[in-house]
């Protein structure tokens, strides 16, 4: 497959990493899975073809054994906890949030504990104790308590803030939510990936690609296919399972103050 001139800067960046004897690390987070669908099949087949591990952020209140049966055929997929019901509790004039300060903290923490228990009960060892807050937002005051209800990691979007548990954020969102609501321009996404690689060149923060299989247009699928093809051809590139990243980050998380 030829990927064209838009991708050449990434090919060259990855070549520089190879000359330097270093590994460029990527991971893939896909949000909002609930049930098996044709779009989920497409995601699992595409990632499976390129041996890219995928972390599905699953909405606990809406999912059941049907997803378990489908994922039993997808050993490269892990499952994380996408809030509880993906329900907005913020007033209309505020940004959407399920895990904000709009409800008593115990109510929010109970939801999260129930979500972790439900998804882990369904998926067993495929479930990782990582919280992916809906809309990538959580009240900062809740984060210190996530460990006490069983979470080992948190994943939102953007540069990570210090926390008492591992923070493994996504940082390249392929969707243009405020414009076309389709895939962002491929050239801009390539530049965003290169910027993240250069920002993370101490190797501490991988490129976290964020996808939403249920709303992908053809351009989004094409972008992923080309990204996987380019990275598959680069020796200096690795797509990491979420467990590897959690294990590594846990060692550097700031201990919880009591
Ligand atoms: Zn979501």
């Amino acid at each position: 497959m030829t990927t064209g001139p838009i991708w050449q800067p990434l090919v060259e960046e990855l070549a520089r990493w190879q000359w330097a004897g270093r590994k460029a690390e990527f991971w893939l987070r896909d949000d909002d899975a609930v049930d098996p669908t044709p779009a989920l099949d497409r995601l699992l087949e595409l990632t499976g073809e390129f041996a890219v591990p995928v972390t599905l952020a699953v909405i606990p209140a809406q999912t059941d054994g049907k997803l378990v049966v489908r994922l039993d055929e997808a050993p490269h997929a892990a499952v994380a906890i996408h809030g509880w019901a993906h329900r907005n509790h913020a007033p209309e004039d505020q940004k959407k949030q399920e895990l904000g300060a709009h409800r008593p903290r115990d109510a929010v923490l109970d939801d999260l504990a129930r979500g972790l228990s439900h998804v882990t009960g369904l998926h067993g060892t495929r479930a990782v104790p990582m919280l992916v807050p809906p809309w990538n937002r959580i009240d900062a005051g809740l984060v210190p308590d996530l460990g006490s209800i069983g979470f080992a990691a948190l994943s939102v979007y953007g540069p990570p803030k210090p926390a008492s548990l591992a923070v493994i954020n996504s940082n390249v969102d392929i969707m243009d939510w405020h414009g076309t609501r389709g895939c962002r321009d491929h050239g801009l996404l390539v530049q965003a990936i290169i910027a993240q690689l250069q920002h993370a060149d101490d190797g501490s923060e991988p490129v976290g690609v964020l996808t939403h299989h249920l709303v992908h247009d053809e351009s989004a699928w094409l972008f992923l296919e080309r990204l996987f093809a380019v990275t598959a051809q680069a020796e200096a590139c690795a797509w990491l399972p979420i467990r590897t990243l959690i294990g590594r980050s846990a060692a550097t998380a700031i201990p919880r103050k009591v």
Side-chain angles (χ1 to χ4, degrees):
M1 176 169 158
T2 55
T3 48
I6 283 175
W7 290 86
Q8 196 55 31
L10 181 58
V11 171
E12 289 169 9
E13 177 70 18
L14 292 172
R16 280 192 285 275
W17 283 64
Q18 187 180 347
W19 293 328
R22 297 165 51 221
K23 277 273 185 221
E25 296 180 336
F26 289 71
W27 75 287
L28 177 62
R29 193 186 104 198
D30 180 274
D31 287 4
D32 300 342
V34 169
D35 284 320
T37 60
L40 184 65
D41 285 342
R42 192 167 178 180
L43 177 74
L44 293 173
E45 281 161 21
L46 182 61
T47 49
E49 182 186 338
F50 286 95
V52 170
V54 56
T55 303
L56 300 173
V58 172
I59 304 170
Q62 299 172 17
T63 196
D64 60 23
K66 294 192 289 294
L67 185 63
V68 176
V69 172
R70 176 62 185 88
L71 295 185
D72 281 345
E73 298 163 27
H76 62 296
V79 164
I81 318 304
H82 200 28
W84 166 243
H86 217 300
R87 187 172 299 145
N88 179 31
H89 295 279
E92 282 218 352
D93 59 344
Q94 292 180 21
K95 288 185 171 176
K96 288 180 179 171
Q97 226 176 334
E98 183 175 41
L99 311 178
H102 313 94
R103 294 185 293 158
R105 56 186 294 115
D106 284 353
V108 182
L109 291 170
D110 282 355
D111 272 358
L112 292 177
R114 193 180 320 124
L116 176 60
S117 159
H118 181 60
V119 170
T120 305
L122 284 170
H123 288 276
T125 55
R126 182 161 53 231
V128 290
M130 180 167 85
L131 174 63
V132 178
W135 302 287
N136 288 303
R137 297 187 192 110
I138 181 169
D139 181 61
L142 292 171
V143 174
D145 284 327
L146 294 178
S148 67
I149 57 171
F151 287 99
L154 171 69
S155 180
V156 289
Y157 186 82
K161 297 189 179 119
S164 55
L165 73 177
V167 179
I168 301 154
N169 284 357
S170 56
N171 42 49
V172 176
D173 184 345
I174 73 165
M175 299 304 287
D176 178 10
W177 296 104
H178 303 294
T180 64
R181 298 192 68 80
C183 191
R184 290 168 64 197
D185 177 80
H186 291 194
L188 292 178
L189 284 170
V190 167
Q191 293 304 325
I193 288 170
I194 292 170
Q196 181 62 33
L197 282 168
Q198 292 174 347
H199 169 72
D201 71 359
D202 60 355
S204 61
E205 202 191 329
V207 178
V209 176
L210 175 58
T211 63
H212 283 76
H213 65 278
L214 291 169
V215 296
H216 285 181
D217 57 0
E218 283 306 314
S219 177
W221 293 115
L222 185 62
F223 176 80
L224 284 181
E225 186 176 351
R226 290 187 168 165
L227 175 62
F228 296 160
V230 165
T231 52
Q233 283 164 15
E235 276 181 43
C237 189
W239 287 87
L240 298 182
I242 190 61
R243 285 185 191 285
T244 301
L245 293 169
I246 292 176
R248 199 165 69 186
S249 302
T252 55
I254 295 169
R256 180 170 183 238
K257 289 198 196 98
V258 284

